PDB file of all heavy atoms in Angstrom:
ATOM      1  N   GLY A   1     -62.399  32.011  25.391  1.00 95.00           N
ATOM      2  CA  GLY A   1     -61.274  31.469  24.612  1.00 95.00           C
ATOM      3  C   GLY A   1     -59.953  32.108  24.946  1.00 95.00           C
ATOM      4  O   GLY A   1     -58.882  31.579  24.570  1.00 95.00           O
ATOM      5  N   ALA A   2     -59.962  33.221  25.652  1.00 97.00           N
ATOM      6  CA  ALA A   2     -58.744  33.920  26.101  1.00 97.00           C
ATOM      7  C   ALA A   2     -58.653  33.887  27.613  1.00 97.00           C
ATOM      8  O   ALA A   2     -57.865  34.687  28.177  1.00 97.00           O
ATOM      9  CB  ALA A   2     -58.780  35.367  25.592  1.00 97.00           C
ATOM     10  N   ALA A   3     -59.367  32.986  28.266  1.00 98.00           N
ATOM     11  CA  ALA A   3     -59.450  33.012  29.708  1.00 98.00           C
ATOM     12  C   ALA A   3     -58.238  32.428  30.426  1.00 98.00           C
ATOM     13  O   ALA A   3     -58.286  32.233  31.632  1.00 98.00           O
ATOM     14  CB  ALA A   3     -60.706  32.294  30.184  1.00 98.00           C
ATOM     15  N   GLY A   4     -57.156  32.180  29.682  1.00 98.00           N
ATOM     16  CA  GLY A   4     -55.916  31.734  30.311  1.00 98.00           C
ATOM     17  C   GLY A   4     -54.918  32.840  30.538  1.00 98.00           C
ATOM     18  O   GLY A   4     -54.129  32.792  31.468  1.00 98.00           O
ATOM     19  N   VAL A   5     -54.897  33.805  29.636  1.00 98.00           N
ATOM     20  CA  VAL A   5     -53.790  34.794  29.620  1.00 98.00           C
ATOM     21  C   VAL A   5     -53.698  35.600  30.940  1.00 98.00           C
ATOM     22  O   VAL A   5     -52.670  35.531  31.617  1.00 98.00           O
ATOM     23  CB  VAL A   5     -53.951  35.767  28.446  1.00 98.00           C
ATOM     24  CG1 VAL A   5     -52.819  36.797  28.474  1.00 98.00           C
ATOM     25  CG2 VAL A   5     -53.958  35.013  27.112  1.00 98.00           C
ATOM     26  N   LEU A   6     -54.770  36.323  31.325  1.00 98.00           N
ATOM     27  CA  LEU A   6     -54.709  37.138  32.487  1.00 98.00           C
ATOM     28  C   LEU A   6     -54.555  36.324  33.765  1.00 98.00           C
ATOM     29  O   LEU A   6     -53.750  36.693  34.656  1.00 98.00           O
ATOM     30  CB  LEU A   6     -55.930  38.053  32.575  1.00 98.00           C
ATOM     31  CG  LEU A   6     -55.820  39.263  33.504  1.00 98.00           C
ATOM     32  CD1 LEU A   6     -54.607  40.103  33.208  1.00 98.00           C
ATOM     33  CD2 LEU A   6     -57.115  40.082  33.456  1.00 98.00           C
ATOM     34  N   PRO A   7     -55.216  35.174  33.926  1.00 98.00           N
ATOM     35  CA  PRO A   7     -54.984  34.355  35.112  1.00 98.00           C
ATOM     36  C   PRO A   7     -53.508  33.878  35.204  1.00 98.00           C
ATOM     37  O   PRO A   7     -52.901  33.896  36.294  1.00 98.00           O
ATOM     38  CB  PRO A   7     -55.917  33.154  34.928  1.00 98.00           C
ATOM     39  CG  PRO A   7     -57.067  33.695  34.145  1.00 98.00           C
ATOM     40  CD  PRO A   7     -56.410  34.669  33.185  1.00 98.00           C
ATOM     41  N   GLY A   8     -52.916  33.491  34.060  1.00 98.00           N
ATOM     42  CA  GLY A   8     -51.538  33.053  34.084  1.00 98.00           C
ATOM     43  C   GLY A   8     -50.592  34.174  34.488  1.00 98.00           C
ATOM     44  O   GLY A   8     -49.641  33.956  35.230  1.00 98.00           O
ATOM     45  N   VAL A   9     -50.869  35.359  34.004  1.00 98.00           N
ATOM     46  CA  VAL A   9     -50.042  36.524  34.339  1.00 98.00           C
ATOM     47  C   VAL A   9     -50.263  36.938  35.796  1.00 98.00           C
ATOM     48  O   VAL A   9     -49.285  37.221  36.525  1.00 98.00           O
ATOM     49  CB  VAL A   9     -50.327  37.661  33.385  1.00 98.00           C
ATOM     50  CG1 VAL A   9     -49.731  38.985  33.894  1.00 98.00           C
ATOM     51  CG2 VAL A   9     -49.793  37.363  31.988  1.00 98.00           C
ATOM     52  N   ALA A  10     -51.508  36.945  36.238  1.00 98.00           N
ATOM     53  CA  ALA A  10     -51.785  37.317  37.613  1.00 98.00           C
ATOM     54  C   ALA A  10     -51.146  36.349  38.595  1.00 98.00           C
ATOM     55  O   ALA A  10     -50.590  36.749  39.636  1.00 98.00           O
ATOM     56  CB  ALA A  10     -53.286  37.396  37.840  1.00 98.00           C
ATOM     57  N   ALA A  11     -51.238  35.048  38.329  1.00 98.00           N
ATOM     58  CA  ALA A  11     -50.628  34.063  39.168  1.00 98.00           C
ATOM     59  C   ALA A  11     -49.128  34.210  39.249  1.00 98.00           C
ATOM     60  O   ALA A  11     -48.491  34.060  40.282  1.00 98.00           O
ATOM     61  CB  ALA A  11     -50.983  32.647  38.713  1.00 98.00           C
ATOM     62  N   THR A  12     -48.513  34.574  38.109  1.00 98.00           N
ATOM     63  CA  THR A  12     -47.044  34.776  38.070  1.00 98.00           C
ATOM     64  C   THR A  12     -46.668  36.030  38.833  1.00 98.00           C
ATOM     65  O   THR A  12     -45.647  36.033  39.574  1.00 98.00           O
ATOM     66  CB  THR A  12     -46.618  34.858  36.585  1.00 98.00           C
ATOM     67  OG1 THR A  12     -46.995  33.641  35.928  1.00 98.00           O
ATOM     68  CG2 THR A  12     -45.063  35.053  36.516  1.00 98.00           C
ATOM     69  N   LEU A  13     -47.444  37.088  38.681  1.00 98.00           N
ATOM     70  CA  LEU A  13     -47.154  38.305  39.504  1.00 98.00           C
ATOM     71  C   LEU A  13     -47.238  37.997  40.988  1.00 98.00           C
ATOM     72  O   LEU A  13     -46.403  38.463  41.786  1.00 98.00           O
ATOM     73  CB  LEU A  13     -48.176  39.387  39.154  1.00 98.00           C
ATOM     74  CG  LEU A  13     -48.056  40.041  37.755  1.00 98.00           C
ATOM     75  CD1 LEU A  13     -49.205  40.974  37.504  1.00 98.00           C
ATOM     76  CD2 LEU A  13     -46.721  40.801  37.631  1.00 98.00           C
ATOM     77  N   ALA A  14     -48.203  37.160  41.364  1.00 98.00           N
ATOM     78  CA  ALA A  14     -48.392  36.868  42.812  1.00 98.00           C
ATOM     79  C   ALA A  14     -47.317  35.916  43.288  1.00 98.00           C
ATOM     80  O   ALA A  14     -46.689  36.155  44.343  1.00 98.00           O
ATOM     81  CB  ALA A  14     -49.788  36.237  43.014  1.00 98.00           C
ATOM     82  N   GLU A  15     -47.071  34.828  42.596  1.00 98.00           N
ATOM     83  CA  GLU A  15     -46.225  33.771  43.106  1.00 98.00           C
ATOM     84  C   GLU A  15     -44.736  33.973  42.815  1.00 98.00           C
ATOM     85  O   GLU A  15     -43.881  33.540  43.595  1.00 98.00           O
ATOM     86  CB  GLU A  15     -46.685  32.425  42.539  1.00 98.00           C
ATOM     87  CG  GLU A  15     -48.133  32.068  43.006  1.00 98.00           C
ATOM     88  CD  GLU A  15     -48.605  30.783  42.414  1.00 98.00           C
ATOM     89  OE1 GLU A  15     -47.783  29.924  42.019  1.00 98.00           O
ATOM     90  OE2 GLU A  15     -49.862  30.602  42.314  1.00 98.00           O
ATOM     91  N   ASP A  16     -44.406  34.610  41.712  1.00 98.00           N
ATOM     92  CA  ASP A  16     -43.007  34.820  41.344  1.00 98.00           C
ATOM     93  C   ASP A  16     -42.465  36.171  41.808  1.00 98.00           C
ATOM     94  O   ASP A  16     -41.264  36.305  42.058  1.00 98.00           O
ATOM     95  CB  ASP A  16     -42.809  34.670  39.866  1.00 98.00           C
ATOM     96  CG  ASP A  16     -42.975  33.271  39.368  1.00 98.00           C
ATOM     97  OD1 ASP A  16     -43.732  32.509  39.960  1.00 98.00           O
ATOM     98  OD2 ASP A  16     -42.361  32.892  38.330  1.00 98.00           O
ATOM     99  N   PHE A  17     -43.371  37.150  41.895  1.00 98.00           N
ATOM    100  CA  PHE A  17     -42.909  38.528  42.215  1.00 98.00           C
ATOM    101  C   PHE A  17     -43.458  39.025  43.533  1.00 98.00           C
ATOM    102  O   PHE A  17     -43.167  40.146  43.927  1.00 98.00           O
ATOM    103  CB  PHE A  17     -43.283  39.444  41.070  1.00 98.00           C
ATOM    104  CG  PHE A  17     -42.579  39.156  39.770  1.00 98.00           C
ATOM    105  CD1 PHE A  17     -43.169  38.341  38.833  1.00 98.00           C
ATOM    106  CD2 PHE A  17     -41.308  39.663  39.552  1.00 98.00           C
ATOM    107  CE1 PHE A  17     -42.529  38.046  37.625  1.00 98.00           C
ATOM    108  CE2 PHE A  17     -40.668  39.358  38.371  1.00 98.00           C
ATOM    109  CZ  PHE A  17     -41.259  38.544  37.385  1.00 98.00           C
ATOM    110  N   GLY A  18     -44.315  38.254  44.183  1.00 98.00           N
ATOM    111  CA  GLY A  18     -44.832  38.672  45.503  1.00 98.00           C
ATOM    112  C   GLY A  18     -45.794  39.805  45.443  1.00 98.00           C
ATOM    113  O   GLY A  18     -46.017  40.497  46.466  1.00 98.00           O
ATOM    114  N   ILE A  19     -46.394  40.074  44.309  1.00 98.00           N
ATOM    115  CA  ILE A  19     -47.418  41.137  44.178  1.00 98.00           C
ATOM    116  C   ILE A  19     -48.686  40.629  44.838  1.00 98.00           C
ATOM    117  O   ILE A  19     -49.159  39.541  44.523  1.00 98.00           O
ATOM    118  CB  ILE A  19     -47.680  41.490  42.724  1.00 98.00           C
ATOM    119  CG1 ILE A  19     -46.359  41.793  42.004  1.00 98.00           C
ATOM    120  CG2 ILE A  19     -48.620  42.689  42.611  1.00 98.00           C
ATOM    121  CD1 ILE A  19     -45.585  42.979  42.511  1.00 98.00           C
ATOM    122  N   ALA A  20     -49.296  41.411  45.719  1.00 98.00           N
ATOM    123  CA  ALA A  20     -50.462  40.966  46.476  1.00 98.00           C
ATOM    124  C   ALA A  20     -51.358  42.137  46.807  1.00 98.00           C
ATOM    125  O   ALA A  20     -51.015  43.308  46.561  1.00 98.00           O
ATOM    126  CB  ALA A  20     -50.030  40.236  47.724  1.00 98.00           C
ATOM    127  N   GLY A  21     -52.529  41.814  47.357  1.00 98.00           N
ATOM    128  CA  GLY A  21     -53.439  42.855  47.923  1.00 98.00           C
ATOM    129  C   GLY A  21     -53.858  43.869  46.889  1.00 98.00           C
ATOM    130  O   GLY A  21     -54.127  43.545  45.718  1.00 98.00           O
ATOM    131  N   GLU A  22     -53.919  45.116  47.320  1.00 98.00           N
ATOM    132  CA  GLU A  22     -54.391  46.192  46.465  1.00 98.00           C
ATOM    133  C   GLU A  22     -53.578  46.342  45.173  1.00 98.00           C
ATOM    134  O   GLU A  22     -54.119  46.591  44.094  1.00 98.00           O
ATOM    135  CB  GLU A  22     -54.387  47.517  47.235  1.00 98.00           C
ATOM    136  CG  GLU A  22     -54.876  48.698  46.434  1.00 98.00           C
ATOM    137  CD  GLU A  22     -54.846  50.005  47.240  1.00 98.00           C
ATOM    138  OE1 GLU A  22     -55.788  50.223  48.022  1.00 98.00           O
ATOM    139  OE2 GLU A  22     -53.859  50.759  47.081  1.00 98.00           O
ATOM    140  N   ARG A  23     -52.253  46.108  45.317  1.00 98.00           N
ATOM    141  CA  ARG A  23     -51.382  46.280  44.167  1.00 98.00           C
ATOM    142  C   ARG A  23     -51.724  45.214  43.077  1.00 98.00           C
ATOM    143  O   ARG A  23     -51.752  45.579  41.908  1.00 98.00           O
ATOM    144  CB  ARG A  23     -49.943  46.080  44.612  1.00 98.00           C
ATOM    145  CG  ARG A  23     -48.907  46.426  43.560  1.00 98.00           C
ATOM    146  CD  ARG A  23     -47.539  46.324  44.186  1.00 98.00           C
ATOM    147  NE  ARG A  23     -46.459  46.344  43.173  1.00 98.00           N
ATOM    148  CZ  ARG A  23     -45.210  46.004  43.428  1.00 98.00           C
ATOM    149  NH1 ARG A  23     -44.867  45.619  44.644  1.00 98.00           N
ATOM    150  NH2 ARG A  23     -44.317  46.042  42.473  1.00 98.00           N
ATOM    151  N   LEU A  24     -52.024  44.011  43.448  1.00 98.00           N
ATOM    152  CA  LEU A  24     -52.382  43.021  42.491  1.00 98.00           C
ATOM    153  C   LEU A  24     -53.781  43.302  41.867  1.00 98.00           C
ATOM    154  O   LEU A  24     -54.014  43.155  40.656  1.00 98.00           O
ATOM    155  CB  LEU A  24     -52.390  41.648  43.099  1.00 98.00           C
ATOM    156  CG  LEU A  24     -52.658  40.426  42.187  1.00 98.00           C
ATOM    157  CD1 LEU A  24     -51.689  40.396  41.020  1.00 98.00           C
ATOM    158  CD2 LEU A  24     -52.615  39.133  42.949  1.00 98.00           C
ATOM    159  N   LEU A  25     -54.717  43.741  42.714  1.00 98.00           N
ATOM    160  CA  LEU A  25     -56.059  44.043  42.197  1.00 98.00           C
ATOM    161  C   LEU A  25     -56.039  45.253  41.254  1.00 98.00           C
ATOM    162  O   LEU A  25     -56.711  45.262  40.237  1.00 98.00           O
ATOM    163  CB  LEU A  25     -57.003  44.344  43.357  1.00 98.00           C
ATOM    164  CG  LEU A  25     -57.332  43.126  44.253  1.00 98.00           C
ATOM    165  CD1 LEU A  25     -58.260  43.546  45.371  1.00 98.00           C
ATOM    166  CD2 LEU A  25     -58.009  42.035  43.432  1.00 98.00           C
ATOM    167  N   LEU A  26     -55.194  46.267  41.560  1.00 98.00           N
ATOM    168  CA  LEU A  26     -55.112  47.405  40.670  1.00 98.00           C
ATOM    169  C   LEU A  26     -54.468  46.989  39.329  1.00 98.00           C
ATOM    170  O   LEU A  26     -54.785  47.618  38.293  1.00 98.00           O
ATOM    171  CB  LEU A  26     -54.290  48.513  41.313  1.00 98.00           C
ATOM    172  CG  LEU A  26     -55.029  49.313  42.396  1.00 98.00           C
ATOM    173  CD1 LEU A  26     -54.108  50.328  43.049  1.00 98.00           C
ATOM    174  CD2 LEU A  26     -56.225  50.045  41.803  1.00 98.00           C
ATOM    175  N   SER A  27     -53.624  45.973  39.348  1.00 98.00           N
ATOM    176  CA  SER A  27     -53.084  45.501  38.061  1.00 98.00           C
ATOM    177  C   SER A  27     -54.190  44.955  37.184  1.00 98.00           C
ATOM    178  O   SER A  27     -54.198  45.117  35.934  1.00 98.00           O
ATOM    179  CB  SER A  27     -51.984  44.466  38.259  1.00 98.00           C
ATOM    180  OG  SER A  27     -52.503  43.217  38.673  1.00 98.00           O
ATOM    181  N   LEU A  28     -55.221  44.290  37.794  1.00 98.00           N
ATOM    182  CA  LEU A  28     -56.363  43.793  37.045  1.00 98.00           C
ATOM    183  C   LEU A  28     -57.217  44.978  36.545  1.00 98.00           C
ATOM    184  O   LEU A  28     -57.745  44.894  35.454  1.00 98.00           O
ATOM    185  CB  LEU A  28     -57.218  42.852  37.872  1.00 98.00           C
ATOM    186  CG  LEU A  28     -56.521  41.533  38.320  1.00 98.00           C
ATOM    187  CD1 LEU A  28     -57.520  40.641  39.040  1.00 98.00           C
ATOM    188  CD2 LEU A  28     -55.951  40.817  37.100  1.00 98.00           C
ATOM    189  N   TRP A  29     -57.344  45.999  37.356  1.00 98.00           N
ATOM    190  CA  TRP A  29     -58.101  47.192  36.886  1.00 98.00           C
ATOM    191  C   TRP A  29     -57.380  47.839  35.709  1.00 98.00           C
ATOM    192  O   TRP A  29     -58.041  48.353  34.777  1.00 98.00           O
ATOM    193  CB  TRP A  29     -58.320  48.185  38.035  1.00 98.00           C
ATOM    194  CG  TRP A  29     -59.389  47.760  38.986  1.00 98.00           C
ATOM    195  CD1 TRP A  29     -59.214  47.268  40.238  1.00 98.00           C
ATOM    196  CD2 TRP A  29     -60.793  47.681  38.705  1.00 98.00           C
ATOM    197  NE1 TRP A  29     -60.446  46.934  40.785  1.00 98.00           N
ATOM    198  CE2 TRP A  29     -61.420  47.200  39.905  1.00 98.00           C
ATOM    199  CE3 TRP A  29     -61.609  48.062  37.631  1.00 98.00           C
ATOM    200  CZ2 TRP A  29     -62.791  47.035  39.981  1.00 98.00           C
ATOM    201  CZ3 TRP A  29     -62.980  47.897  37.745  1.00 98.00           C
ATOM    202  CH2 TRP A  29     -63.572  47.373  38.912  1.00 98.00           C
ATOM    203  N   ALA A  30     -56.037  47.838  35.752  1.00 98.00           N
ATOM    204  CA  ALA A  30     -55.293  48.386  34.593  1.00 98.00           C
ATOM    205  C   ALA A  30     -55.577  47.534  33.340  1.00 98.00           C
ATOM    206  O   ALA A  30     -55.766  48.092  32.271  1.00 98.00           O
ATOM    207  CB  ALA A  30     -53.789  48.383  34.937  1.00 98.00           C
ATOM    208  N   ALA A  31     -55.564  46.236  33.519  1.00 98.00           N
ATOM    209  CA  ALA A  31     -55.941  45.345  32.400  1.00 98.00           C
ATOM    210  C   ALA A  31     -57.334  45.719  31.885  1.00 98.00           C
ATOM    211  O   ALA A  31     -57.609  45.761  30.701  1.00 98.00           O
ATOM    212  CB  ALA A  31     -55.873  43.873  32.816  1.00 98.00           C
TER     213      ALA A  31
END
């Protein structure tokens, strides 16, 4: 029921801010 929040944020980090690779994956580990 909450499966939209983190995907929406991750996609925005990737597409709007250019966050990719290890940096993006570590953001998920922080979550």
Side-chain angles (χ1 to χ4, degrees):
V5 179
L6 196 55
V9 167
T12 302
L13 290 173
E15 297 178 25
D16 290 29
F17 295 94
I19 309 297
E22 180 180 280
R23 189 175 168 194
L24 184 57
L25 292 178
L26 284 174
S27 75
L28 295 185
W29 284 107

